[in-house]
Amino acid sequence: MGSFLKKYYLNKILKKNKIIINKTSRTEVLNLIERLRPQNIGAKLIRLGSDEDGGYLIPNDLEHLEACFSPGVHQISDFDKACSDHGMHLYLADKTIDKPNLDIDSSKFTFLKKHIGTTSDSETITLDDWANNSLPGESKNLILQMDIEGAEYFSLLNISDALINRFRIIIIEFHSLEKLWNPEFYNVALEAFNKVLKYHTCVHIHPNNDQEISKEHGIEIPRVAEFTFIHNSRIKDKTPIQKFPNPLDFDNNPAKPHVVLPEVWYKS
């Protein structure tokens, strides 16, 4: 191969590698983390569900809550059962099971055997279509608890302002957060978080210890973490939380090493 062709193909390889190794800037990642830092809003956090996977910390602001929308049921429904015990009707959706593992009267829940996604068809349904078909209206006395194994990002991109504004409390397990260094993933995740943060404030983060903490460019990022948000209308005052973990936090998987939230996620 001549020297010209060698140089031509080498330049193509280098250009390609530049695309492959392109990274989100450290400043962009830190700016997003700063916006997600949990705030103390004066309401005590309580734990609903089990002490392991299936339990979440939420503000003790449950009065008049009507319903919990819970996509991603699998076979662990401890949180859903706790919501039912507090008088909420359960709306459950999961394509991977035939029925939820719930020891409650069937009149207290409505199950849909579909995935939550960006379109509504025989296999999937959008959050808007699901909620509007299940509980039409403008009530803001709702909870959203979502663990759908990575599909949360595009599902949130597709949600309307009108619907997300109806949820008083939102709990979402976000996956693959270490990919925030990938610009394409970062842009999708940023817009998904923007959807939530438009009307809500983060009050708790709990890293899932099924996966270890990722560290790049001096920044530690949980690969998977449970985020709890509350509607801004429920907040009178807020200050940054300066201590983690919360005494009510427990490892998702007791068989795996303990994982704590890195300080960058709650301290400047």
Side-chain angles (χ1 to χ4, degrees):
M1 183 184 293
S3 59
F4 174 80
L5 286 178
K6 284 182 179 178
K7 183 178 293 186
Y8 171 78
Y9 284 114
L10 178 60
N11 285 337
K12 287 196 71 174
I13 292 170
L14 289 174
K15 287 179 180 179
K16 184 177 180 182
N17 284 342
K18 284 182 181 179
I19 294 172
I20 292 173
I21 63 174
N22 188 27
K23 295 279 188 179
T24 312
S25 74
R26 192 173 187 274
T27 298
E28 288 175 310
V29 172
L30 283 173
N31 284 345
L32 177 57
I33 290 174
E34 182 177 1
R35 294 175 60 211
L36 290 168
R37 284 175 182 154
Q39 302 293 307
N40 183 345
I41 61 168
K44 181 180 179 181
L45 297 182
I46 60 174
R47 188 176 187 91
L48 287 189
S50 70
D51 285 347
E52 297 174 10
D53 208 22
Y56 304 95
L57 268 62
I58 67 171
N60 189 13
D61 186 8
L62 308 183
E63 190 174 6
H64 303 308
L65 281 173
E66 300 173 23
C68 172
F69 283 82
S70 181
V73 181
H74 305 296
Q75 290 297 326
I76 301 174
S77 302
D78 295 334
F79 179 83
D80 305 319
K81 173 65 164 57
C83 287
S84 178
D85 291 342
H86 281 275
M88 295 175 235
H89 187 83
L90 305 178
Y91 294 95
L92 312 172
D94 197 319
K95 177 66 176 176
T96 65
I97 63 173
D98 292 323
K99 62 179 181 179
N101 182 25
L102 273 172
D103 186 21
I104 63 174
D105 189 277
S106 60
S107 65
K108 295 184 178 181
F109 68 89
T110 304
F111 175 67
L112 180 66
K113 187 176 171 59
K114 285 190 176 185
H115 290 304
I116 298 301
T118 57
T119 58
S120 294
D121 53 34
S122 61
E123 300 286 320
T124 65
I125 191 168
T126 66
L127 284 168
D128 274 75
D129 284 346
W130 182 36
N132 292 332
N133 293 340
S134 302
L135 194 64
E138 299 180 358
S139 171
K140 294 185 179 180
N141 295 321
L142 308 176
I143 284 183
L144 172 65
Q145 184 272 312
M146 184 159 62
D147 180 5
I148 52 177
E149 305 303 323
E152 61 273 7
Y153 296 103
F154 284 106
S155 296
L156 286 171
L157 290 183
N158 200 51
I159 197 172
S160 68
D161 281 7
L163 177 57
I164 202 164
N165 195 27
R166 293 181 65 189
F167 293 111
R168 182 191 302 181
I169 296 171
I170 296 176
I171 310 105
I172 303 176
E173 183 165 84
F174 284 97
H175 299 78
S176 303
L177 291 167
E178 78 281 0
K179 294 180 181 178
L180 287 172
W181 296 110
N182 178 297
E184 288 77 16
F185 180 89
Y186 173 85
N187 288 332
V188 171
L190 176 64
E191 291 306 312
F193 280 118
N194 283 343
K195 283 275 190 172
V196 182
L197 292 173
K198 183 173 183 178
Y199 298 106
H200 298 78
T201 293
C202 182
V203 293
H204 189 66
I205 303 175
H206 178 248
N208 188 322
N209 75 312
D210 256 337
Q211 297 192 38
E212 62 188 14
I213 299 292
S214 170
K215 186 173 182 178
E216 283 193 57
H217 306 293
I219 300 176
E220 293 182 302
I221 298 177
R223 297 174 188 271
V224 180
E226 301 155 352
F227 288 71
T228 303
F229 303 88
I230 191 164
H231 198 281
N232 292 331
S233 64
R234 314 296 294 186
I235 300 173
K236 294 182 180 179
D237 193 21
K238 59 184 178 182
T239 56
I241 297 175
Q242 295 294 314
K243 185 177 180 181
F244 276 85
N246 186 289
L248 297 178
D249 276 327
F250 297 97
D251 289 331
N252 297 71
N253 187 346
K256 293 287 188 74
H258 179 60
V259 168
V260 297
L261 184 68
E263 283 194 2
V264 69
W265 287 82
Y266 59 93
K267 286 186 177 181
S268 299

